[in-house]
Amino acid sequence: MTLLIRSQAERTAPPARRRRRLSSHSLMGPVMAAPALILLAVFLAIPFLGAIAMSFYRLQLNSTRAPRFIGLEQYSRLFADPDISAAFLHSLGNNFTFAAVVVPVQTALALGLALLVNGKLRGMAVFRTMFFMPLVFPLALVAVVWRLIFARDDHGLLNSAISLFTGGSVGPHDWLGSSATAMGAIIVMSIWQSVSFQMIILLGGLQAVPHDLYEAASLDRAGRWSQFLHVTVPGIRNTLIFVALLTTVFSFRLFDQVYLLGQSGSVDIESTQTMMYQVITTGYDQNNIGQGAAMAVVFLVIVTIVAVIQRRLVRQEGSIR
Amino acid sequence: MTRVRSIKRSRLLSGTGRYALLVFFGLIFFVPVYYLLVGSLRPGDKVLGGLSALVPSDLSLDNYAGVFNRFSNDTTGYVWQFAGVSLAVTAMVVLGGLLVNSLAGYALARMKWRGRNIVLLLVTIMTIIPFEAVALPLYYMLSGQRNTLYVQALPFLANAFSIFLFYTYFLSIPVEVEEAATIDGAGPVRTLFQVVAPMSLPAYATVAILTFLGQWGQYLWPVLMITDTKLRPLPLELSVFQNAQPPEWGPVLAFGVLFVLPVLVVFLIFQRSFVASVASSGVKG
Amino acid sequence: MTFSTLRSTPRPRRRSIAVGGLAALVSVALAACGGPSASDSPSAASNISAGSGTGTLKVWALDGQSAENTAIQKIVSDFESSHPDIKVKMQFLPADSFAKALQTSSPADLPDVLEVDGPQIANLAYGQKIAPLSDYVSEATVQNQTDAVKGQNTVDGKLYAVSMMNSGLAMWGNKKLLDKAGVTMPKSASEAWTADEFTEVLRKLSAVVPNGKPLGIAENNGLSSEYGIYGFSPVLWSAGTPMIANGKASGALDSDTAVNALKKFASWKQFTNPDGDGTAFQSGQVALNWMGNWMYPAYDKALGNDLVVGPLPNFGKGAKTGSGTIAWSLGGHTKNGAAAGKLLDFLMSDPVVSTYTAANGAPPATKTTAASSPLYGAGKPLAFLRDQLDAACPTEDRLTKQCVAVSRPVTAGYPVVTSSFGKALTAIWGGADVAASLQAAARAIDRDFVDNNNYK
């Protein structure tokens, strides 16, 4: 991400200027960065090192027993113990499924919406407001509202609506409780809540596409679709990539919706549990801190790998243009 | 720039088709919000009634009265008290975050120092670590600070993603402006706050809004750190009605509305500048 | 001094090692920057003392139903008026964060008196968040506790909590609908429907309810929550198997008996109304509702004379019900044990228990009050539930055909028991293989027990 954005931003500046930084205060750089860096170190990096340390121990919350050093046992269980590894790998799979669906769908939908709300049209402010509203919903509330919408009997809003539109020929479905649709339901509520943020970013990208490119395209008698493909998409390419990267990272963090629904309703845990879900339920609900810490470490390694691979791919493509 | 003309060209649909799509998506996005609002004004047993739950009948403020009556003395805490805590913590995180993260973003974007590249890489990696993954070790580290206001805010002040947003925005500002300030003898901190920050309001607004949205619903950390009623933020109380037997859906939804209302009001007031700011901040790539 | 017995137990020392070890662990991480230190410092000395019997008591109570909250606040202020030299500083905590708050609290944060969820008592005792209280409450208070709650509140022979109320499950029926289908509700546990008879009953009833789903099981409570194990472990007990036998779940929770019983139970999903807002029974859409006593006021109000109550189905070894609920404990580190004991005695006194159980409709957990209860006394509407609770099984691994009320497993490993059972139950209800789900749950529980040296 960094490289992508930096290369783009620097590209816009003349080459000579790029190297001229305000470098006369060489000590001030670290000093200015220090408050944030120290806070990040204390509240993120060091606890994470703590998690790594904990993962080598048998450690229970609310236990009087001394933590016992057990080496890599927590890790070997994650991959070798049939029960634990099955649940863990299943969660990993669910994370990838979620990301594989959400990243393209949410990015595409965000682009579609951005195109829709781009420009002046009577009543546009109202529509934009409608799209933005979900963004202010905390996830705890998202879970409450959508749990009611997905309710499995004909009292559920969705089932009731489907029954109305199909004239009652389609019976009520257990959206959250059935393994076939539970993940889909979570995906829908996640996209509902956050797509407008991506939409705004893309809107910015759209408005920055130089308008003479469109003029040139229309002189070439390019149709609307052709303009979209050959002017709009290349023009917002970097924004699109940024949005996709952002969505990927956040989709791997999926946790709140699944956890909150699991606590209060009948969501199908098997097909919706994620790695963060495993970390939290193992560490907090079953008090098994050591195992939870090991899961967190493996999780972070995997997400870092995904992010690095993504960045590699993007950088290579970027150099072709 | 003739923005309006360019935009007209760039869109695929026009007229009726576009309106139809706008209405369609607008409804999809708005129905859950409307459902929450109407449900909060109707008796709890009417909340789950299929489509009829959307009909605004039997409206009353009883659910809201129920919420306020439920929290009405020192033992239970008060709604305004929870909201006050949430507001105070969120304000600390937003304001403190703007300060420390913009300083770091500026140092990374504009100043040359040893280790800058490594720090940049580390910050990028840290955008990936979810807070939940480190909450337990952090809880052990800070267990002596439980039941304080500041412990709710401290871990969230510095934010790798905010630093990153500032960094990219500052990169896109022409250096000449700052050079002029430097010639006048201003140090980098003064340059940042007197010259660069006023030009970077969109970036500050974006970070402020994102931080606000993220912080307002913070749940896991206060659960671990706060038992004192006086210091509990709003999200911890949402479960009170939901865990009732049977769940009191009316008050749940009323509490939900009270929960999002402040955010929504702020958001609607600043909607225009929010859109403008996110759209024009560094992330446009 | 009274706490000499406590000091002789080995736990305080182990605790100091545990905390010290953890502090060392974290300090490794902290050494790099000198950040805030882990101040959860060990205290090797005995954890509780009697104190002066006066002063301020810190109390944590569960943020429960409004009526309960109001009642408990009134009761506490009455206590303050009758004990002018003791002040009470009480605060409510919401249920879902209460358990976590207790698990993660350091000794300094713990209150002098607190409400605890029954099945968590063994775990909290193990973590020294609560202390044995026989030395601080009066003999009369202890004697007056019913056997059913003593089962829940006793760990390794020591009493860790006293209860004002208990709870119980029953099958609630809508007489109008039952009559329509020609079904009669059994009157006592010994006459309970067998599981097969129950299937037949459901089949008949499905013809007389609007959407063909005559059974309610309060799915909206979430089967993976604590309600799952409370509401449906009676299925196993009634079939004749405990969840944990001889300190192991394998061979008990995953026995053929358990598998067959839960298979039968899951087969009733086709008859079950999802009842998302918990009102289907009140509104006449459901004819039979598998539910706890706490819904009685709402049912009574909605159905009046049409409300009938009977036992849960018998899976072979006698009908069973869950028992146990929130109780009151002494904070594991209180320095004001004497005053705390006075408060507990006051809470367990007849007028207080009567006031409290009148507010929430729960079965009183003291012998004297239960007998005279306007709801649960002899010949009163819910006498049936008290009969069930009076016939208490000693523990879940000592079941007989005659005993009816059973407490959830008393073990320090309860967090993993409830979470594993809840997960399995949810999967089974969702259609997963019963044997495989229970075996996985049993393995998870046993693994945790072994990891923790059986919580010895």
Side-chain angles (χ1 to χ4, degrees):
Chain A
M1 267 189 280
T2 318
L3 295 166
L4 161 77
I5 300 296
R6 189 178 53 194
S7 64
Q8 204 281 335
E10 285 175 357
R11 213 170 55 221
T12 57
R17 206 180 287 155
R18 207 185 298 160
R19 262 173 230 107
R20 284 198 344 239
R21 291 177 190 284
L22 301 178
S23 54
S24 55
H25 298 268
S26 62
L27 254 182
M28 279 310 281
V31 170
M32 285 171 75
L37 296 183
I38 290 173
L39 286 168
L40 279 180
V42 173
F43 295 113
L44 203 59
I46 291 172
F48 188 71
L49 294 179
I52 295 178
M54 286 172 167
S55 70
F56 298 124
Y57 284 80
R58 174 107 57 234
L59 185 60
Q60 294 276 126
L61 195 62
N62 195 34
S63 170
T64 51
R65 301 184 67 78
R68 191 154 60 81
F69 185 78
I70 49 165
L72 294 172
E73 190 189 299
Q74 305 285 23
Y75 292 95
S76 67
R77 281 185 178 185
L78 281 188
F79 296 102
D81 182 286
D83 289 325
I84 298 175
S85 73
F88 186 68
L89 295 177
H90 204 113
S91 305
L92 188 60
N94 287 339
N95 266 117
F96 276 98
T97 312
F98 182 82
V101 176
V102 164
V103 174
V105 171
Q106 186 161 347
T107 310
L109 186 62
L111 178 58
L113 292 176
L115 289 170
L116 267 181
V117 300
N118 188 10
K120 291 201 172 96
L121 208 62
R122 193 176 281 273
M124 192 55 87
V126 176
F127 289 115
R128 282 186 180 177
T129 307
M130 280 178 167
F131 294 151
F132 293 145
M133 272 186 169
L135 206 54
V136 306
F137 275 60
L139 286 169
L141 194 59
V142 173
V144 168
V145 173
W146 283 86
R147 179 189 158 188
L148 295 171
I149 293 176
F150 284 132
R152 84 172 169 92
D153 53 6
D154 48 11
H155 284 182
L157 199 59
L158 184 59
N159 279 331
S160 175
I162 288 175
S163 157
L164 180 77
F165 287 119
T166 60
S169 57
V170 177
H173 178 73
D174 187 1
W175 299 99
L176 288 164
S178 137
S179 59
T181 52
M183 184 52 107
I186 301 241
I187 287 174
V188 167
M189 72 175 85
S190 305
I191 292 181
W192 174 80
Q193 200 257 345
S194 59
V195 70
S196 55
F197 179 60
Q198 273 92 331
M199 178 189 90
I200 301 172
I201 300 176
L202 287 168
L203 194 57
L206 283 178
Q207 296 185 345
V209 178
H211 108 278
D212 33 332
L213 290 179
Y214 289 105
E215 303 246 297
S218 58
L219 284 180
D220 289 348
R221 299 190 177 173
R224 283 211 170 102
W225 180 245
S226 170
Q227 279 193 21
F228 172 73
L229 280 185
H230 298 110
V231 179
T232 311
V233 172
I236 57 165
R237 188 178 155 282
N238 281 327
T239 317
L240 272 176
I241 291 171
F242 175 77
V243 166
L245 291 177
L246 194 68
T247 316
T248 309
V249 170
F250 282 104
S251 70
F252 273 94
R253 290 184 175 187
L254 176 65
F255 157 69
D256 303 73
Q257 299 95 310
V258 177
Y259 186 71
L260 293 166
L261 286 169
Q263 277 201 323
S264 61
S266 55
V267 66
D268 182 70
I269 303 282
E270 179 90 353
S271 57
T272 55
Q273 59 188 354
T274 62
M275 284 187 289
M276 274 324 294
Y277 177 88
Q278 290 289 339
V279 171
I280 302 292
T281 51
T282 307
Y284 295 76
D285 293 349
Q286 302 184 3
N287 294 359
N288 196 342
I289 305 175
Q291 180 82 75
M295 288 173 170
V297 172
V298 174
F299 168 67
L300 191 77
V301 169
I302 291 171
V303 179
T304 309
I305 292 173
V306 170
V308 167
I309 290 177
Q310 258 200 335
R311 219 138 50 89
R312 280 274 148 77
L313 288 176
V314 169
R315 195 160 36 158
Q316 275 175 357
E317 272 191 35
S319 63
I320 298 172
R321 50 160 220 122
Chain B
M1 203 172 110
T2 49
R3 194 168 130 265
V4 179
R5 253 173 70 206
S6 81
I7 287 153
K8 262 185 196 152
R9 296 264 159 72
S10 73
R11 62 176 194 250
L12 289 170
L13 277 164
S14 55
T16 354
R18 190 145 169 240
Y19 266 118
L21 275 177
L22 278 170
V23 169
F24 175 74
F25 281 109
L27 278 181
I28 288 186
F29 277 81
F30 186 64
V31 161
V33 182
Y34 172 81
Y35 185 31
L36 172 74
L37 203 65
V38 171
S40 75
L41 294 167
R42 305 183 71 211
D45 57 357
K46 297 250 166 68
V47 166
L48 268 169
L51 287 174
S52 73
L54 297 179
V55 180
S57 63
D58 304 303
L59 300 183
S60 80
L61 289 172
D62 290 356
N63 293 327
Y64 291 87
V67 169
F68 282 100
N69 290 337
R70 186 68 161 61
F71 302 106
S72 55
N73 57 53
D74 286 343
T75 311
T76 52
Y78 304 87
V79 175
W80 56 261
Q81 200 173 43
F82 305 137
V85 170
S86 278
L87 209 58
V89 172
T90 306
M92 273 193 265
V93 173
V94 170
L95 296 177
L98 288 180
L99 182 68
V100 298
N101 295 322
S102 67
L103 277 170
Y106 188 75
L108 287 170
R110 280 294 195 258
M111 325 218 13
K112 209 181 211 165
W113 39 286
R114 275 173 69 117
R116 193 188 68 100
N117 283 325
I118 293 173
V119 167
L120 201 52
L121 181 71
L122 285 176
V123 167
T124 317
I125 289 179
M126 279 195 271
T127 57
I128 303 171
I129 305 182
F131 176 74
E132 286 87 354
V134 300
L136 263 181
L138 195 60
Y139 148 75
Y140 279 113
M141 279 170 56
L142 298 178
S143 59
Q145 269 71 45
R146 301 182 87 224
N147 285 320
T148 54
L149 206 53
Y150 64 86
V151 84
Q152 300 187 55
L154 270 182
F156 307 102
L157 286 180
N159 183 304
F161 191 66
S162 303
I163 295 176
F164 183 71
L165 285 178
F166 279 121
Y167 163 77
T168 56
Y169 195 89
F170 293 150
L171 275 183
S172 70
I173 294 178
V175 182
E176 285 83 354
V177 194
E178 295 152 78
E179 279 169 346
T182 315
I183 291 162
D184 288 349
V189 177
R190 243 184 76 194
T191 310
L192 169 61
F193 289 116
Q194 288 188 348
V195 181
V196 179
M199 296 174 63
S200 312
L201 287 182
Y204 279 88
T206 305
V207 170
I209 288 168
L210 285 182
T211 314
F212 191 100
L213 293 178
Q215 189 61 37
W216 189 249
Q218 195 69 249
Y219 176 79
L220 184 69
W221 186 240
V223 164
L224 290 177
M225 299 309 279
I226 306 298
T227 51
D228 191 340
T229 311
K230 285 194 202 66
L231 294 167
R232 274 207 295 266
L234 277 172
L236 296 195
E237 307 296 326
L238 185 62
S239 65
V240 164
F241 302 104
Q242 208 179 343
N243 292 342
Q245 297 268 354
E248 301 173 31
W249 287 123
V252 167
L253 297 185
F255 194 87
V257 171
L258 293 173
F259 196 0
V260 290
L261 208 58
V263 201
L264 200 61
V265 168
V266 170
F267 190 83
L268 289 180
I269 293 173
F270 293 107
Q271 199 219 120
R272 225 166 230 289
S273 45
F274 173 54
V275 176
S277 66
V278 180
S280 63
S281 69
V283 294
K284 70 186 169 205
Chain C
M1 277 293 268
T2 43
F3 58 77
S4 60
T5 49
L6 281 172
R7 198 180 275 163
S8 64
T9 65
R11 275 195 185 147
R13 261 182 67 217
R14 278 221 300 264
R15 158 122 191 131
S16 73
I17 298 166
V19 176
L22 193 58
L25 239 180
V26 172
S27 65
V28 170
L30 284 175
C33 83
S37 64
S39 64
D40 192 359
S41 60
S43 61
S46 173
N47 294 328
I48 71 171
S49 55
S52 62
T54 59
T56 302
L57 283 177
K58 202 170 142 190
V59 176
W60 284 2
L62 192 86
D63 201 339
Q65 303 169 13
S66 306
E68 285 173 340
N69 290 359
T70 314
I72 202 72
Q73 290 184 55
K74 165 93 171 54
I75 289 165
V76 164
S77 89
D78 288 351
F79 174 77
E80 285 182 310
S81 344
S82 60
H83 296 75
D85 47 358
I86 302 178
K87 276 201 71 66
V88 176
K89 200 170 156 267
M90 179 167 68
Q91 65 172 27
F92 287 135
L93 288 106
D96 63 341
S97 60
F98 196 175
K100 247 353 84 176
L102 268 180
Q103 301 273 10
T104 55
S105 282
S106 56
D109 295 332
L110 283 173
D112 302 298
V113 171
L114 65 156
E115 268 191 293
V116 292
D117 193 13
Q120 296 288 352
I121 287 173
N123 183 258
L124 294 172
Y126 179 75
Q128 297 183 333
K129 300 291 162 69
I130 56 177
L133 44 65
S134 313
D135 292 338
Y136 296 94
V137 298
S138 76
E139 184 63 24
T141 296
V142 175
Q143 288 301 328
N144 201 21
Q145 294 276 297
T146 58
D147 291 343
V149 290
K150 271 189 195 158
Q152 162 192 283
N153 297 341
T154 307
V155 183
D156 294 336
K158 294 198 197 87
L159 194 64
Y160 276 88
V162 283
S163 299
M164 295 162 78
M165 59 168 176
N166 202 342
S167 75
L169 288 158
M171 190 64 76
W172 307 83
N174 181 328
K175 192 160 181 306
K176 214 177 263 168
L177 293 172
L178 297 185
D179 286 349
K180 218 164 157 188
V183 170
T184 320
M185 178 70 91
K187 291 218 163 7
S188 70
S190 57
E191 297 163 34
W193 289 311
T194 65
D196 288 331
E197 285 167 359
F198 190 63
T199 308
E200 213 31 59
V201 164
L202 292 176
R203 213 179 291 286
K204 282 187 202 159
L205 286 169
S206 57
V208 300
V209 292
N211 63 359
K213 296 189 185 302
L215 177 67
I217 63 160
E219 240 182 81
N220 61 54
N221 287 340
L223 296 185
S224 61
S225 70
E226 184 61 31
Y227 184 76
I229 190 169
Y230 173 81
F232 308 103
S233 47
V235 170
L236 303 187
W237 297 325
S238 172
T241 177
M243 281 185 272
I244 314 282
N246 305 318
K248 281 187 73 168
S250 299
L253 180 59
D254 60 355
S255 61
D256 289 346
T257 317
V259 171
N260 290 331
L262 280 176
K263 256 187 197 154
K264 180 58 89 180
F265 173 70
S267 74
W268 297 332
K269 191 183 185 187
Q270 53 174 315
F271 299 112
T272 305
N273 186 313
D275 193 10
D277 53 6
T279 57
F281 181 64
Q282 294 92 304
S283 63
Q285 296 178 60
V286 152
L288 288 172
N289 215 31
W290 184 308
M291 229 305 128
N293 57 273
W294 53 89
M295 287 301 293
Y296 170 73
Y299 294 171
D300 181 47
K301 196 175 150 211
L303 297 183
N305 289 334
D306 282 334
L307 180 67
V308 287
V309 59
L312 299 181
N314 176 2
F315 287 79
K317 295 287 161 71
K320 297 282 178 282
T321 173
S323 155
T325 182
I326 310 295
W328 288 90
S329 285
L330 204 55
H333 294 258
T334 177
K335 298 289 173 265
N336 214 348
K342 282 182 201 164
L343 176 59
L344 291 178
D345 279 334
F346 182 81
L347 288 175
M348 300 305 138
S349 64
D350 283 352
V352 169
V353 173
S354 300
T355 311
Y356 187 71
T357 52
N360 65 6
T366 62
K367 290 173 184 165
T368 42
T369 324
S372 62
S373 160
L375 272 181
Y376 297 88
K380 298 293 183 328
L382 297 181
F384 167 77
L385 275 114
R386 188 169 64 91
D387 292 344
Q388 290 198 130
L389 291 171
D390 283 348
C393 308
T395 55
E396 69 121 21
D397 55 357
R398 285 157 67 201
L399 301 166
T400 65
K401 204 160 179 168
Q402 284 73 36
C403 70
V404 183
V406 192
S407 299
R408 284 154 282 181
V410 178
T411 162
Y414 189 75
V416 77
V417 175
T418 180
S419 109
S420 305
F421 182 82
K423 206 168 146 190
L425 186 69
T426 310
I428 291 168
W429 192 247
D433 184 71
V434 179
S437 303
L438 288 178
Q439 281 157 10
R443 284 195 299 270
I445 293 168
D446 288 346
R447 191 188 311 111
D448 181 76
F449 281 27
V450 170
D451 283 354
N452 288 285
N453 199 18
N454 287 315
Y455 291 96
K456 292 261 162 44

mmCIF file of all heavy atoms in Angstrom, chain C residues 389-405:
data_model
loop_
_atom_site.group_PDB
_atom_site.id
_atom_site.type_symbol
_atom_site.label_atom_id
_atom_site.label_comp_id
_atom_site.label_asym_id
_atom_site.label_seq_id
_atom_site.Cartn_x
_atom_site.Cartn_y
_atom_site.Cartn_z
ATOM 1 N N LEU C 389 -37.975 -29.195 42.552
ATOM 2 C CA LEU C 389 -36.743 -28.725 43.179
ATOM 3 C C LEU C 389 -36.487 -29.434 44.504
ATOM 4 O O LEU C 389 -35.349 -29.650 44.902
ATOM 5 C CB LEU C 389 -36.797 -27.212 43.385
ATOM 6 C CG LEU C 389 -36.741 -26.379 42.100
ATOM 7 C CD1 LEU C 389 -37.020 -24.914 42.391
ATOM 8 C CD2 LEU C 389 -35.395 -26.534 41.413
ATOM 9 N N ASP C 390 -37.566 -29.799 45.190
ATOM 10 C CA ASP C 390 -37.398 -30.518 46.453
ATOM 11 C C ASP C 390 -36.804 -31.902 46.214
ATOM 12 O O ASP C 390 -36.099 -32.445 47.064
ATOM 13 C CB ASP C 390 -38.746 -30.643 47.189
ATOM 14 C CG ASP C 390 -39.124 -29.330 47.868
ATOM 15 O OD1 ASP C 390 -38.242 -28.436 47.952
ATOM 16 O OD2 ASP C 390 -40.280 -29.179 48.298
ATOM 17 N N ALA C 391 -37.119 -32.470 45.057
ATOM 18 C CA ALA C 391 -36.552 -33.782 44.725
ATOM 19 C C ALA C 391 -35.225 -33.577 44.007
ATOM 20 O O ALA C 391 -35.071 -33.879 42.822
ATOM 21 C CB ALA C 391 -37.523 -34.566 43.840
ATOM 22 N N ALA C 392 -34.255 -32.996 44.718
ATOM 23 C CA ALA C 392 -32.991 -32.630 44.064
ATOM 24 C C ALA C 392 -32.038 -33.812 44.025
ATOM 25 O O ALA C 392 -31.891 -34.545 44.999
ATOM 26 C CB ALA C 392 -32.346 -31.469 44.810
ATOM 27 N N CYS C 393 -31.355 -33.979 42.888
ATOM 28 C CA CYS C 393 -30.267 -34.943 42.809
ATOM 29 C C CYS C 393 -29.055 -34.297 43.480
ATOM 30 O O CYS C 393 -28.837 -33.095 43.317
ATOM 31 C CB CYS C 393 -29.928 -35.262 41.361
ATOM 32 S SG CYS C 393 -31.338 -35.759 40.352
ATOM 33 N N PRO C 394 -28.236 -35.065 44.190
ATOM 34 C CA PRO C 394 -27.095 -34.462 44.882
ATOM 35 C C PRO C 394 -26.132 -33.747 43.914
ATOM 36 O O PRO C 394 -25.802 -32.587 44.125
ATOM 37 C CB PRO C 394 -26.408 -35.640 45.570
ATOM 38 C CG PRO C 394 -27.157 -36.873 45.222
ATOM 39 C CD PRO C 394 -28.361 -36.520 44.423
ATOM 40 N N THR C 395 -25.704 -34.440 42.884
ATOM 41 C CA THR C 395 -24.867 -33.836 41.841
ATOM 42 C C THR C 395 -25.232 -34.499 40.536
ATOM 43 O O THR C 395 -25.929 -35.513 40.523
ATOM 44 C CB THR C 395 -23.357 -34.080 42.078
ATOM 45 O OG1 THR C 395 -23.152 -35.481 42.207
ATOM 46 C CG2 THR C 395 -22.863 -33.373 43.322
ATOM 47 N N GLU C 396 -24.742 -33.938 39.421
ATOM 48 C CA GLU C 396 -25.187 -34.484 38.134
ATOM 49 C C GLU C 396 -24.599 -35.849 37.859
ATOM 50 O O GLU C 396 -25.073 -36.544 36.966
ATOM 51 C CB GLU C 396 -24.869 -33.492 36.996
ATOM 52 C CG GLU C 396 -23.398 -33.336 36.695
ATOM 53 C CD GLU C 396 -23.056 -33.686 35.251
ATOM 54 O OE1 GLU C 396 -23.943 -33.662 34.408
ATOM 55 O OE2 GLU C 396 -21.875 -34.005 35.008
ATOM 56 N N ASP C 397 -23.540 -36.260 38.586
ATOM 57 C CA ASP C 397 -23.040 -37.612 38.339
ATOM 58 C C ASP C 397 -23.563 -38.605 39.380
ATOM 59 O O ASP C 397 -23.062 -39.713 39.492
ATOM 60 C CB ASP C 397 -21.506 -37.633 38.249
ATOM 61 C CG ASP C 397 -20.848 -37.032 39.468
ATOM 62 O OD1 ASP C 397 -21.580 -36.537 40.359
ATOM 63 O OD2 ASP C 397 -19.608 -37.047 39.546
ATOM 64 N N ARG C 398 -24.535 -38.201 40.162
ATOM 65 C CA ARG C 398 -25.205 -39.156 41.062
ATOM 66 C C ARG C 398 -26.709 -39.081 40.836
ATOM 67 O O ARG C 398 -27.466 -38.681 41.709
ATOM 68 C CB ARG C 398 -24.836 -38.844 42.516
ATOM 69 C CG ARG C 398 -23.404 -39.298 42.852
ATOM 70 C CD ARG C 398 -22.837 -38.554 44.007
ATOM 71 N NE ARG C 398 -23.516 -38.846 45.271
ATOM 72 C CZ ARG C 398 -23.468 -38.029 46.331
ATOM 73 N NH1 ARG C 398 -22.809 -36.900 46.266
ATOM 74 N NH2 ARG C 398 -24.077 -38.364 47.448
ATOM 75 N N LEU C 399 -27.108 -39.471 39.630
ATOM 76 C CA LEU C 399 -28.510 -39.382 39.255
ATOM 77 C C LEU C 399 -29.267 -40.618 39.710
ATOM 78 O O LEU C 399 -28.720 -41.710 39.751
ATOM 79 C CB LEU C 399 -28.623 -39.275 37.733
ATOM 80 C CG LEU C 399 -27.933 -38.086 37.071
ATOM 81 C CD1 LEU C 399 -27.843 -38.300 35.569
ATOM 82 C CD2 LEU C 399 -28.691 -36.811 37.385
ATOM 83 N N THR C 400 -30.530 -40.433 40.077
ATOM 84 C CA THR C 400 -31.402 -41.572 40.300
ATOM 85 C C THR C 400 -32.663 -41.341 39.485
ATOM 86 O O THR C 400 -32.875 -40.234 38.962
ATOM 87 C CB THR C 400 -31.811 -41.700 41.776
ATOM 88 O OG1 THR C 400 -32.608 -40.555 42.124
ATOM 89 C CG2 THR C 400 -30.607 -41.791 42.685
ATOM 90 N N LYS C 401 -33.489 -42.348 39.397
ATOM 91 C CA LYS C 401 -34.706 -42.220 38.618
ATOM 92 C C LYS C 401 -35.694 -41.262 39.298
ATOM 93 O O LYS C 401 -36.458 -40.559 38.642
ATOM 94 C CB LYS C 401 -35.352 -43.602 38.435
ATOM 95 C CG LYS C 401 -36.244 -43.662 37.226
ATOM 96 C CD LYS C 401 -36.482 -45.100 36.772
ATOM 97 C CE LYS C 401 -37.420 -45.102 35.565
ATOM 98 N NZ LYS C 401 -37.481 -46.385 34.886
ATOM 99 N N GLN C 402 -35.644 -41.253 40.657
ATOM 100 C CA GLN C 402 -36.623 -40.459 41.391
ATOM 101 C C GLN C 402 -36.273 -38.981 41.481
ATOM 102 O O GLN C 402 -37.144 -38.124 41.492
ATOM 103 C CB GLN C 402 -36.799 -41.015 42.824
ATOM 104 C CG GLN C 402 -37.635 -42.286 42.888
ATOM 105 C CD GLN C 402 -36.848 -43.489 42.334
ATOM 106 O OE1 GLN C 402 -35.640 -43.596 42.518
ATOM 107 N NE2 GLN C 402 -37.550 -44.380 41.635
ATOM 108 N N CYS C 403 -34.980 -38.653 41.612
ATOM 109 C CA CYS C 403 -34.638 -37.246 41.796
ATOM 110 C C CYS C 403 -34.873 -36.482 40.492
ATOM 111 O O CYS C 403 -34.784 -37.048 39.408
ATOM 112 C CB CYS C 403 -33.202 -37.088 42.292
ATOM 113 S SG CYS C 403 -31.942 -37.486 41.072
ATOM 114 N N VAL C 404 -35.210 -35.209 40.605
ATOM 115 C CA VAL C 404 -35.641 -34.468 39.416
ATOM 116 C C VAL C 404 -34.748 -33.265 39.107
ATOM 117 O O VAL C 404 -34.312 -33.066 37.973
ATOM 118 C CB VAL C 404 -37.101 -33.982 39.580
ATOM 119 C CG1 VAL C 404 -37.554 -33.280 38.306
ATOM 120 C CG2 VAL C 404 -38.022 -35.142 39.900
ATOM 121 N N ALA C 405 -34.458 -32.435 40.123
ATOM 122 C CA ALA C 405 -33.716 -31.202 39.864
ATOM 123 C C ALA C 405 -32.216 -31.464 39.907
ATOM 124 O O ALA C 405 -31.720 -32.062 40.851
ATOM 125 C CB ALA C 405 -34.090 -30.146 40.892
#
